[in-house]
Amino acid sequence: MRYIREFRNGQAAAALAGKLAQEVDPRRSYHLMEFCGGHTHAIFRHGVQDLLPENVELVHGPGCPVCVLAIPRLDLAVELAERDDVILASYGDMLRVPASRKRSLVKARSRGSDVRVVTSATEAVRIAQENPENNVVFFAIGFETTTPPTALAILEASRLGLRNFTVYCNHVLTPSAIQSILDSPEVRSLGSVKVDGFIGPSHVSTVIGSRPYEYFAREYQKPVVISGFEPLDVLLSIRMLVDQLNSGRATVENQFLRGVTREGNLKAQRLVAEVFELRAEFEWRGLGNVPYSGLKIKDAYAAFDAERRFGLVARPVPENKACQCPAIIRGAKKPMDCKIFGTVCTPSNPIGSCMVSSEGACAAYYKYRHHRGLAEQPVSEKICRSPA
Ligand code: SF4
């Protein structure tokens, strides 16, 4: 349990919070975006937010791979699943995400479609080997962390000569999303979303390294601290950001030294470059079309591209007007701003992706804040009692 219990120690957290309280400048505010939904959940699960001074505000970012998938692209996954000759292999989180016209993968499965939950791309390759008479499509989603395993699966399918395996590729890139947020009118001109600095995702950064964030520090003067996911990691990263902002610095710092380097995992980067290339643009839920923000399968591996094999073309669909997911993904609103949060929309009846995903902001608010008893629990106890 080394590296887990130590980073959940309640006394250490209280001491760190005490130092932070002394270091913040009472004449200003600090708006820090945690890019990743994993951080959002860690912050609420361990009560980190309750330890922060009042003038430190955390802004939830778009780093939830399930939440940012545009509905037209989810519709295509449902349509693939509804084909008689297709087995759709998907990560479990995607099954209950509402597509348009009240459809979802789980509803398609209940009507007889063959939708299988997998925990890895390799599992989808195995299903293809075991079902040579069916087309097996792996529904690939996620940021840079999950891209190398998808590349490996395509290379493995190529080595095996599998003709019935394809990938429906929806992999997206973290730096492009950060840039889109910084360039959005809400941040740039309207000022309705304030972002002074970023808590950067450590798992993504183990692959891409800390170097890609240097652009944002240099060109936008926004400090970035790459942070681990335990409560003390997050608290320490916030303190590092406050220190940079107090001293007028904007650099990239790496709190997660135990896993992230400046260059990242070069072997994983080579794998991705072998199989994938940039799309000119890609539609994100909440962010719209973002240039060079998604990956597609290279021509050399076109035989494994489900979009080409099945001629998939996304069709625009209107968003559900009641659901505030797009604004929440941009950091412009919080889950409590949604009128149907916790009433019509709950984890057992999700109306939007942010309530379904294990990294969604609405799911985090519902799970850790919706019930008064937990909200009133002393923070240090929350951290100490967290299972290791
Ligand atoms: S509470 Fe539900 S409907 Fe409202 S924004 Fe969140 S996911 Fe969408």
Side-chain angles (χ1 to χ4, degrees):
M1 286 300 134
R2 219 174 143 234
Y3 292 133
I4 296 185
R5 279 194 192 283
E6 292 91 330
F7 286 88
R8 293 182 180 179
N9 183 297
Q11 284 178 340
L16 207 47
K19 285 184 183 153
L20 182 63
Q22 289 169 0
E23 289 163 0
V24 290
D25 180 346
R27 294 163 301 178
R28 62 161 295 172
S29 54
Y30 303 81
H31 304 272
L32 310 177
M33 176 174 275
E34 87 271 6
F35 178 85
C36 177
H39 276 137
T40 308
H41 275 255
I43 285 161
F44 283 110
R45 179 182 176 197
H46 298 288
V48 170
Q49 190 138 349
D50 302 330
L51 286 173
L52 301 179
E54 275 185 5
N55 57 342
V56 176
E57 190 199 348
L58 296 178
V59 183
H60 315 311
C64 160
V66 173
C67 307
V68 297
L69 185 73
I71 293 176
R73 294 197 65 85
L74 175 59
D75 280 351
L76 292 178
V78 174
E79 285 159 26
L80 273 173
E82 286 171 345
R83 289 177 63 115
D84 288 339
D85 59 341
V86 164
I87 297 173
L88 189 85
S90 169
Y91 293 126
D93 265 7
M94 288 309 306
L95 262 63
R96 294 172 61 242
V97 180
S100 69
R101 293 186 282 132
K102 299 192 175 165
R103 296 177 301 168
S104 69
L105 289 175
V106 79
K107 285 181 186 167
R109 187 166 71 177
S110 70
R111 288 194 302 270
S113 297
D114 197 342
V115 179
R116 303 196 191 179
V117 173
V118 294
T119 53
S120 70
T122 315
E123 232 178 298
V125 174
R126 186 180 49 72
I127 294 170
Q129 285 179 284
E130 292 168 357
N131 296 273
E133 71 288 357
N134 287 106
N135 287 298
V136 174
V137 181
F138 175 57
F139 184 14
I141 63 154
F143 289 88
E144 291 89 338
T145 328
T146 49
T147 311
T150 307
L152 258 183
I154 289 174
L155 291 173
E156 177 67 357
S158 175
R159 190 186 67 77
L160 293 168
L162 284 180
R163 292 172 177 273
N164 66 328
F165 175 79
T166 53
V167 169
Y168 175 35
C169 179
N170 294 279
H171 285 300
V172 287
L173 304 173
T174 301
S176 314
I178 292 179
Q179 174 137 19
S180 167
I181 284 176
L182 287 172
D183 286 341
S184 70
E186 283 144 332
V187 172
R188 221 177 164 86
S189 47
L190 302 177
S192 51
V193 178
K194 293 190 172 61
V195 181
D196 297 317
F198 288 92
I199 300 171
S202 55
H203 50 6
V204 159
S205 308
T206 58
V207 176
I208 66 172
S210 62
R211 191 207 283 261
Y213 307 103
E214 291 171 6
Y215 174 75
F216 306 112
R218 191 176 58 243
E219 298 297 325
Y220 291 82
Q221 288 296 295
K222 302 291 181 191
V224 180
V225 174
I226 293 160
S227 173
F229 284 92
E230 296 303 329
L232 289 191
D233 287 319
V234 178
L235 268 175
L236 188 54
S237 300
I238 291 169
R239 196 173 165 215
M240 290 163 78
L241 281 168
V242 165
D243 183 55
Q244 285 205 47
L245 291 165
N246 282 349
S247 57
R249 287 181 299 123
T251 61
V252 178
E253 293 180 327
N254 181 9
Q255 181 276 330
F256 198 70
L257 289 168
R258 58 193 192 278
V260 171
T261 62
R262 182 166 182 259
E263 302 305 328
N265 183 333
L266 297 179
K267 192 173 171 194
Q269 291 169 21
R270 278 195 294 273
L271 260 179
V272 171
E274 160 72 26
V275 175
F276 296 109
E277 62 189 1
L278 286 172
R279 293 180 194 257
E281 62 176 26
F282 190 76
E283 186 184 356
W284 295 56
R285 193 164 190 216
L287 304 182
N289 280 320
V290 181
Y292 302 108
S293 66
L295 297 176
K296 64 179 180 181
I297 296 168
K298 280 183 169 174
D299 287 347
Y301 297 96
F304 300 98
D305 185 347
E307 287 180 72
R308 297 191 224 200
R309 171 87 58 97
F310 298 99
L312 304 181
V313 180
R315 294 177 302 279
V317 288
E319 287 277 352
N320 181 328
K321 285 202 179 97
C323 177
Q324 301 296 320
C325 276
I328 290 169
I329 289 165
R330 289 195 302 275
K333 287 193 175 172
K334 298 217 158 146
M336 304 306 243
D337 297 329
C338 174
K339 289 198 175 90
I340 57 175
F341 171 85
T343 53
V344 178
C345 182
T346 62
S348 55
N349 180 43
I351 304 299
S353 52
C354 302
M355 188 59 95
V356 180
S357 170
S358 57
E359 297 191 17
C362 297
Y365 271 69
Y366 189 91
K367 194 167 179 188
Y368 302 113
R369 279 291 165 105
H370 190 56
H371 307 293
R372 280 184 149 264
L374 185 57
E376 287 166 2
Q377 187 182 358
V379 172
S380 58
E381 281 182 31
K382 273 196 235 175
I383 290 178
C384 290
R385 282 183 189 168
S386 299

